[in-house]
Amino acid sequence: MQDKQTLLRIFLAAAQATSFRSAAAALELSPQVVTRAVQALENELGEVLFHRSTRRSVLSEFGQRFAAEAEVALAQFDRLFDTPRRAARERPEGLVRIVAPTMHGRRFLLPVLLQLGKSHPGLSFDLRLSDEPVDAVQLRADIGLHGGSLLDNRFVARTVARVSQHVCAAPELIAQLGRLRSVRDLDAVPTTQLIERATGRPWPWEFRNGLRFVPARTVFASDDPLAECEAVVAGLGVGQLSSVVAAEHLRGGRLVELLPGTVSRVWPLTLFRVRRDPVPLRVRITYDALLAAFA
């Protein structure tokens, strides 16, 4: 027999009709199905719902009370499922959880989310920034940004940028130092250094063919890539900077690239969505806005 929700809907149709036959016609069911549904409810409740004759069916006193309660229960049930559908048709609303590396999240994601929040007041965001590996599923994230290829093929992912490291310096510092001819020349010039937060040690500079190198004359060190970049732009020293932070300054002439033939490997920056389907409107709009910003 049908589930109880279906039984209630058949019962209410019969309660509003003059006979089981007319209720069956309205529901496009056979009269036998309506009869069996009412009988199943009566057996479940242990009460008579209708006084029936060959021509008419009339609600019993218990049936009248039960019909009123059933209408309220089904209306609440329908509202429960209709609310998200109606909201999806009208406007996006609800919480979107996002995970990203600190620098990339601040530089690329945050401006988009702030603008999106103004355009869609019903949206709210939970942005978690970390430079340590994170489990997006455990954090209940909807969207994430990842440096490198994404290993979890359950996610919907798109490569949105290519990231590389570049040795850079301010034009005025280059005028003082002269051009560098090789990686070993870095030992003789002031340099900046990025500190690994987990260990407190400097990240070695990486070059083509797997060469790793820590310059000898560090004049500025920080565990924040943006702070290191600002120190290089200010002319304090030569730095090996990510293209994420250096590209804008290189285009604007505030930085000049040195030793361009030594650029290390390039790795992808991947934007991903944790769920394939279904995708709530709030998540889809946020993901599409981030993709558009990278494009």
Side-chain angles (χ1 to χ4, degrees), residues 200-217:
R201 294 192 295 267
W203 285 100
W205 292 19
E206 295 187 356
F207 297 93
R208 186 167 291 175
N209 300 324
L211 175 63
R212 294 164 67 89
F213 177 72
V214 178
R217 291 184 57 196

Side-chain angles (χ1 to χ4, degrees), residues 65-133:
R65 295 195 304 271
F66 185 71
E69 294 175 358
E71 285 182 356
V72 172
L74 285 177
Q76 291 175 336
F77 183 87
D78 290 339
R79 280 197 299 273
L80 178 66
F81 284 90
D82 187 57
T83 297
R85 288 199 300 270
R86 186 173 60 251
R89 290 193 299 267
E90 295 172 356
R91 62 188 179 93
E93 59 182 20
L95 177 65
V96 182
R97 291 185 171 90
I98 305 154
V99 295
T102 303
M103 176 178 63
H104 303 78
R106 286 177 181 168
R107 191 167 185 83
F108 296 132
L109 304 192
L110 184 58
V112 180
L113 298 180
L114 296 179
Q115 184 58 47
L116 202 59
K118 292 180 180 179
S119 303
H120 300 284
L123 289 178
S124 56
F125 304 104
D126 183 336
L127 176 61
R128 302 298 175 95
L129 302 177
S130 174
D131 295 320
E132 301 300 319

Side-chain angles (χ1 to χ4, degrees), residues 4-74:
K4 292 180 180 178
Q5 181 201 146
T6 302
L7 295 180
L8 287 179
R9 295 188 187 281
I10 294 174
F11 161 68
L12 287 178
Q16 295 164 3
T18 58
S19 67
F20 285 7
R21 185 174 296 278
S22 60
L27 295 171
E28 297 183 349
L29 300 172
S30 69
Q32 291 80 8
V33 171
V34 175
T35 299
R36 288 199 296 270
V38 172
Q39 289 174 342
L41 276 178
E42 289 179 331
N43 291 334
E44 176 74 21
L45 299 169
E47 292 281 354
V48 174
L49 294 171
F50 289 93
H51 299 298
R52 300 188 289 274
S53 68
T54 55
R55 294 185 179 182
R56 289 183 60 82
S57 59
V58 179
L59 280 170
S60 66
E61 184 177 344
F62 176 83
Q64 290 175 341
R65 295 195 304 271
F66 185 71
E69 294 175 358
E71 285 182 356
V72 172
L74 285 177

Side-chain angles (χ1 to χ4, degrees), residues 246-268:
E248 180 182 351
H249 298 294
L250 288 168
R251 287 194 298 268
R254 294 178 293 277
L255 289 178
V256 176
E257 184 174 4
L258 305 173
L259 307 174
T262 64
V263 174
S264 64
R265 65 184 178 88
V266 176
W267 66 92

Side-chain angles (χ1 to χ4, degrees), residues 161-223:
R162 300 284 178 179
V163 181
S164 55
Q165 298 288 105
H166 303 269
V167 178
C168 304
E172 57 269 27
L173 182 61
I174 294 176
Q176 297 173 22
L177 302 176
R179 292 280 178 173
L180 303 183
R181 297 183 180 277
S182 71
V183 172
R184 291 300 170 186
D185 290 344
L186 292 168
D187 274 333
V189 300
T191 58
T192 64
Q193 194 66 57
L194 183 65
I195 303 299
E196 183 181 2
R197 288 174 178 166
T199 64
R201 294 192 295 267
W203 285 100
W205 292 19
E206 295 187 356
F207 297 93
R208 186 167 291 175
N209 300 324
L211 175 63
R212 294 164 67 89
F213 177 72
V214 178
R217 291 184 57 196
T218 299
V219 297
F220 182 89
S222 175
D223 63 355

